[in-house]
Every structure is written in C-alpha cells, then in structure tokens.
C-alpha cells in the first residue's frame, strides 16, 4: 500500500490486510518537529474526543494517533484487545476501560495516562501509575455546566410533573376526543382538558419555585453551577460543604449551614458530592426523616451517596413529595425496579453530563495539559503530582 503522506488519514488495517478492523481511525503526522532524530509519539485514544482537538494532537504535538471512541463501539474494549492495543503506546487517553496495575505493567512504552473524567480513580489504578512514574491527567469540572443545567431540569420536571404528564400523554392516559369549546359562553374559545377532580389540571398540580428554599449538598464545581442558576428562580439557597467557608458560600448567595439544618429547612435538596469514605451513605433513613413533608430530593451525583432503600421507603410512604434521579445502584436500572412504579419519581439514564460541550471541554483540557508536560511545565490537573519531579518529557 505504501506510506501515506504526513498528516493524512489512514484507514485501520482490515482482514484483507492481515490485520483487524476494530473501528480505529488512524491519524498520522510527521515524526519530528525540528529534530530529525526524534520519533513520533504513539497515542491511543479510547475516549470520545473533539475532532478539532484530535487534529491538534497530530498537528501541534506530532502524535501518531489511534482513535477508537467508545461512542463508535458497543462498550468498553475487551481486556485482551485493550492490552494488545497498548503495546507500543506512549500516551493513553482512556475513558472507561480499566487501567489496572497489570495493564500498566504490561504496557512497557506507556509514559502518560490521561483520563477525561472528574475522578480518574474510577477506572485507573493511580497508585500503580505512580509506582511506574506515569503522570495521570484528568479533567475535574468538565461537566459542571452541563450537570448544573440538568439539575434544574430535574427540579422543574418533578416539581411541575412535566415528565409524568409527558408519560401520561404518550401512553394514552390523558388523551381523548377533542372539544372545540369547553366553556361555550365567553367571547373566545376556552379550550382545556377540563378542571374537574380527575383532570390533569387537578391531578398534576405542582408547586412554584419562587420563595422556596433549595439546599445544595456540596459546593464543588457542579454545586456552584447549580447555585448560580438558582438566582433566576428567586429561591433561598442553603449550602453544606465542610470545605467551603461562609464567605465562599456567600459568593453564590448561599447560606452555610450544617447538613441536618439544610435537610430540615429545605423544600428541595440536591446532592453534588463525589463518593469518598466520608460521603458514602451520607443520606440515609435518619436524614430522609429530617426532611420536610412533601420535600423533593435530587441526586445526579452517585447512588452510593444515599441509602437507596431508605429513599424508596420515604417515597412510597409519602413522606417525600418526590425525587429526580439520574444515578442508581445498578446501571442500567432493572426493568422491575420499584422506583419505576412511582409517579412522583423522575428517572433518567445517567444523562447529567451527556452534552457535546463536555466532550469539547475535556478534550481541550487534556490537550492543554499534554502540551504543558511536553513543554516542561506543570499541568493544571494531574492526579499524582508527585511523579512530576522525576518526569522527563519524551522526545517527539
């Protein structure tokens, strides 16, 4: 076939070539950038990545890139396939494949790991990478704006029965024979679904947000975005976060309180903390009991932060007004899960960070930190900064 010119796109090897077609797109660039003795860095990217940023890895950093975004596959690369692809790879940008100690040990050429997630320890053995003096780049806050938007969508959906009413129309529950004029007496048509005891207007009546108290558990990147958006709804804001002082809360018009006070005073409680030893099971039966009758509970962080059985009991007993959930103990949520039988629960399939902008943002963050490493500068986001003192940028 010959060698394609620098900067060209090459299709991956197929069976006809004696290779495998695994959906990889190959981007080749010159092996050197001013130093004829340097060798192109081989990068494997299994995460979704912005196309323009992907091109800059080749054009600006001189990487030879194998790109296999998870969006083009049914799921994670099989372990054996992943390990095989890592042979000869200098830079790994990984979204969801597991990077264990044995994977790192077998990848003899691996020099940098980048994980475009807020918590790279979910799939990368940080300790093993540190032992091998491999920096692990990551992207905290990459989805904060998206999740901030999504949270208020959840709040509106559950407080105003938007999702449930949508379901009732699509299942034919609240559809019927149209009436041209429901009132027949005024100077203009008065078309409604009806106002009686069984009407949607009565059965699906919600609550306004103005004047309500919203409690935000965790004022990190996501919690701050939620707080910023709160002002447009004219709500009072309470915040609980042991790492943010009163002045920091005040910057977002939130009053710093203890968790128990937040739960007791809030009409809506929304959780935005990572899973750590101190937050696992943070909201349990006792905490749900402290909440107001008919309060609403929002969780798009992680299911491990709450006692899911206690939440279910609170919802089934009617002591909570409703909940909006984007995360579950098991994902996908089983089709016979009792949460799916509750009309006062809005369920979504882990969509909080699912926007195009998140991909563009984490791609740029990874590129910038890779550039910093190769320029001998300190990257902004590295999970094991202690390795930087011994890290030497490879020749490109």
């Amino acid at each position: 076939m010959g060698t394609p010119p620098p900067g060209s796109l090459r299709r991956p090897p197929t069976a006809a070539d004696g290779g495998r077609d695994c959906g990889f797109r190959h981007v080749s660039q010159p092996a050197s950038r001013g130093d004829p003795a340097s060798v192109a860095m081989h990068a494997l990217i299994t995460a979704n990545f912005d196309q323009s940023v992907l091109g800059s890895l080749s054009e600006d950093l001189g990487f030879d890139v194998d790109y296999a975004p998870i969006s083009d596959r049914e799921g994670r690369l099989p372990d054996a396939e992943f390990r095989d692809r890592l042979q000869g790879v200098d830079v790994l940008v990984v979204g969801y494949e597991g990077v264990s100690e044995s994977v790192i040990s077998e990848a003899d050429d691996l020099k940098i790991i980048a994980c475009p997630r807020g918590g790279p320890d979910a799939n990368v053995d940080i300790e093993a990478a540190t032992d091998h003096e491999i920096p692990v780049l990551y992207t905290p806050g990459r989805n904060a704006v998206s999740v901030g938007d999504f949270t208020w969508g959840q709040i509106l959906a559950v407080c105003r029965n938007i999702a449930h009413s949508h379901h009732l129309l699509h299942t034919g529950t609240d559809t019927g024979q149209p009436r041209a004029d429901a009132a027949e007496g005024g100077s203009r048509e008065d078309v409604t679904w009806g106002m009686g005891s069984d009407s949607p207007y009565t059965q699906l009546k919600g609550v306004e947000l103005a004047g309500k108290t919203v409690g935000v558990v965790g004022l990190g990147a996501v919690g701050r975005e939620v707080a910023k958006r709160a002002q447009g709804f004219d709500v009072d804001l309470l915040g609980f976060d042991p790492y943010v002082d009163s002045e920091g809360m005040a910057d977002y018009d939130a009053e710093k309180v203890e968790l128990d006070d937040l739960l007791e005073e809030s009409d809506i409680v929304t959780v935005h903390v990572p899973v750590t030893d101190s937050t696992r099971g943070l909201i349990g039966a006792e905490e749900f009991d402290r909440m107001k009758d008919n309060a609403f509970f929002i969780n798009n962080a992680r299911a491990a932060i709450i006692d899911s059985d206690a939440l279910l009991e609170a919802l089934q007993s009617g002591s909570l007004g409703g909940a909006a959930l984007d995360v579950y103990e098991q994902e996908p949520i089983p089709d016979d899960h009792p949460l799916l039988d509750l009309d006062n629960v809005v369920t979504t399939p882990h969509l909080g960070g699912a926007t195009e902008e998140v991909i563009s943002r984490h791609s740029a963050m990874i590129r910038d930190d890779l550039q910093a490493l190769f320029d001998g500068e300190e990257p902004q986001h590295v999970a094991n900064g202690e390795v930087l003192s011994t890290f030497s940028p490879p020749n490109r």
Side-chain angles (χ1 to χ4, degrees):
M1 292 176 55
T3 302
S8 67
L9 290 174
R10 301 186 301 187
R11 67 173 175 84
T14 65
D17 303 319
R20 295 160 301 168
D21 184 358
C22 300
F24 278 74
R25 282 168 263 171
H26 194 96
V27 183
S28 178
Q29 283 294 319
S32 64
R33 286 172 55 85
D35 180 4
S38 64
V39 178
M41 301 289 292
H42 184 195
L44 171 63
I45 301 178
T46 66
N48 297 329
F49 226 66
D50 182 89
Q51 286 293 327
S52 63
V53 179
L54 182 68
S56 76
L57 293 181
S58 300
E59 297 167 6
D60 299 332
L61 290 176
F63 285 5
D64 184 21
V65 178
D66 278 336
Y67 180 47
I70 193 168
S71 60
D72 284 359
R73 298 180 266 116
E74 293 183 358
R76 296 175 174 88
L77 285 174
D79 185 65
E81 171 84 18
F82 182 51
R83 291 170 185 263
D84 184 49
R85 285 284 177 179
L86 275 173
Q87 298 308 305
V89 166
D90 302 285
V91 178
L92 170 65
V93 181
V94 59
Y96 297 96
E97 284 77 18
V99 186
S100 63
E101 192 283 331
S102 64
V103 168
I104 293 172
S105 296
E106 290 178 14
D108 295 333
D109 298 306
L110 189 60
K111 300 173 181 66
I112 301 169
I113 297 171
C115 184
R117 302 178 67 175
D121 54 336
N123 63 310
V124 178
D125 188 330
I126 306 296
E127 183 177 351
T130 303
D131 289 342
H132 287 78
E133 299 184 332
I134 297 174
V136 179
L137 307 177
Y138 69 116
T139 56
R142 69 182 182 123
N143 61 0
V145 171
S146 295
V147 179
D149 290 347
F150 190 82
T151 299
W152 284 100
Q154 288 179 293
I155 291 172
L156 288 168
V158 68
C159 288
R160 293 301 308 274
N161 291 307
I162 295 172
H164 183 49
S165 60
H166 171 87
H167 170 74
L168 293 178
L169 291 183
H170 278 252
T171 56
T173 302
D174 279 337
T175 55
Q177 184 65 37
R179 288 172 290 181
D181 188 346
E184 294 184 354
S187 60
R188 59 183 174 82
E189 291 184 346
D190 185 13
V191 180
T192 72
W193 247 269
M195 306 290 286
S197 60
D198 291 333
S199 69
Y201 184 90
T202 300
Q203 293 294 320
L204 300 175
K205 193 172 292 181
V207 297
E208 292 182 348
L209 296 184
K212 299 298 188 294
T213 298
V214 176
V216 181
V217 181
L219 264 291
V222 173
R224 293 193 297 271
E225 293 295 334
V226 172
K228 281 164 38 175
R229 286 153 178 74
Q231 307 316 310
F233 292 102
D234 195 23
V235 299
D236 296 319
L237 210 58
L238 301 178
F240 168 73
D241 192 318
Y243 303 101
V244 180
D245 61 21
S246 296
E247 291 184 359
M249 294 275 187
D251 289 340
Y252 296 89
D253 292 329
E255 178 186 352
K256 181 178 175 66
V257 297
E258 294 301 318
L259 179 60
D260 287 351
D261 296 327
L262 181 148
L263 295 170
E264 292 171 0
E265 297 176 28
S266 297
D267 300 294
I268 300 164
V269 174
T270 180
V271 178
H272 305 285
V273 298
V275 178
T276 65
D277 290 342
S278 62
T279 63
R280 189 178 296 275
L282 180 67
I283 311 292
E286 182 178 342
E287 287 71 30
F288 286 122
D289 285 344
R290 287 184 178 275
M291 292 177 64
K292 290 181 178 181
D293 291 342
N294 297 319
F296 296 94
F297 181 76
I298 315 297
N299 184 19
N300 55 41
R302 285 293 184 269
I305 296 162
I306 70 171
D307 181 335
S308 297
D309 290 337
L311 173 61
L312 180 62
E313 183 177 345
L315 290 165
Q316 290 175 329
S317 68
S319 62
L320 285 181
L325 307 171
D326 192 44
V327 289
Y328 312 92
E329 288 183 315
Q330 295 176 298
E331 296 186 6
I333 187 171
D335 56 13
D336 60 349
H337 198 289
L339 281 172
L340 300 178
D341 295 326
L342 299 179
D343 293 341
N344 60 342
V345 178
V346 173
T347 52
T348 47
H350 208 141
L351 293 177
T355 65
E356 293 296 334
E357 289 83 356
V358 167
I359 295 173
S360 298
R361 189 175 295 116
H362 76 216
S363 299
M365 292 171 74
I366 291 295
R367 177 203 55 204
D368 291 348
D369 275 349
L370 285 171
Q371 182 73 64
L373 276 177
F374 283 103
D375 288 346
E377 301 173 357
E378 184 172 342
Q380 284 196 331
H381 307 295
V382 57
N384 53 347
E386 60 268 35
V387 307
L388 296 180
S389 61
T390 58
F391 178 81
S392 296
N395 292 327
R396 287 180 283 149

